[in-house]
Amino acid sequence: GNTIINGYYGFTLCGNSTAPFAANNSIINNDIIDHYFYGIYVVNAENSIISGNSLHHDSRATTTTTYGVYLTTNCISTQVSENRIYNFFLGNALSTSTSYSIYVAGDGTLGTENKLFNNIIYSIRGNGAQYGIYNTTGDYMQAYHNTISFDDAAATLGASYGIYQTGAVTSVDIRNNIISITRGGTGTRYGLGSVTAGTYI
């Protein structure tokens, strides 16, 4: 239930670089506004719950590559659910910065999957490349029932990727998501894309 405004990172959860990692932490029902780089950054943590948060910009004019929820090394059994991610470039509609609403770079395992459920991503704004869910080499990721809408009619350029997979993976499970791309401009549009081989359920 915190309100966090204008951080370079909005919220960080960083465990030890070797086991035992941080465990059983919850980041719930926070309003993270006008962060500069990472909204929620998690590394070396297991059994984390990231749920019910709002990540958005109200007035930030200076922009860079922007991340909403970022999961990286040694993140397992992470639940990312019921978060709202929107208006990243509201204060700079002409920004060409890239955005990653949910970024996964940590490997789950069988039984310790990272789960992205029931998140909503919309109205990102700006003219940069936009990724809804981006998974790079993250094994055992599950993405269910997320809604991704790239809907800024005022955009003039910038590629759009609803769910994007890069790097060889094992057992990535993507199902029952809603992806809508009605964004204006000349940028290419991909609903669901993978650029490398992997095992998908």
Side-chain angles (χ1 to χ4, degrees):
N2 302 287
T3 299
I4 302 170
I5 303 173
N6 284 335
Y8 190 84
Y9 291 16
F11 193 104
T12 61
L13 173 58
C14 302
N16 298 319
S17 59
T18 57
F21 305 120
N24 305 317
N25 293 284
S26 298
I27 305 168
I28 296 177
N29 295 338
N30 300 288
D31 197 9
I32 299 175
I33 305 168
D34 284 339
H35 68 279
Y36 181 65
F37 198 28
Y38 297 110
I40 297 174
Y41 178 93
V42 183
V43 61
N44 302 324
E46 57 187 12
N47 298 321
S48 304
I49 296 175
I50 303 167
S51 183
N53 301 286
S54 292
L55 298 95
H56 58 101
H57 289 178
D58 286 350
S59 59
R60 177 173 286 282
T62 303
T63 64
T64 187
T65 300
T66 303
Y67 300 84
V69 177
Y70 186 96
L71 310 178
T72 187
T73 308
N74 296 320
C75 285
I76 60 174
S77 293
T78 309
Q79 175 186 316
V80 180
S81 64
E82 300 178 12
N83 300 286
R84 295 173 63 230
I85 301 171
Y86 62 101
N87 282 358
F88 272 176
F89 303 110
L90 182 63
N92 184 355
L94 299 180
S95 172
T96 57
S97 296
T98 300
S99 66
Y100 301 88
S101 294
I102 300 176
Y103 187 107
V104 179
D107 291 331
T109 63
L110 181 63
T112 66
E113 294 85 354
N114 291 314
K115 301 180 178 183
L116 318 179
F117 296 168
N118 296 310
N119 300 284
I120 182 166
I121 297 162
Y122 63 99
S123 191
I124 297 300
R125 312 294 181 101
N127 286 324
Q130 297 178 357
Y131 296 85
I133 295 173
Y134 184 99
N135 184 31
T136 174
T137 67
D139 295 334
Y140 291 93
M141 182 199 78
Q142 298 175 347
Y144 301 167
H145 304 293
N146 300 285
T147 298
I148 300 165
S149 178
F150 292 135
D151 50 11
D152 181 11
T156 59
L157 50 93
S160 304
Y161 304 84
I163 299 177
Y164 187 80
Q165 171 67 51
T166 182
V169 291
T170 299
S171 294
V172 166
D173 188 356
I174 298 170
R175 65 179 78 182
N176 297 326
N177 300 283
I178 298 172
I179 300 169
S180 173
I181 303 174
T182 58
R183 188 180 181 201
T186 58
T188 53
R189 303 172 183 186
Y190 304 88
L192 176 62
S194 174
V195 296
T196 48
T199 302
Y200 303 93
I201 298 173

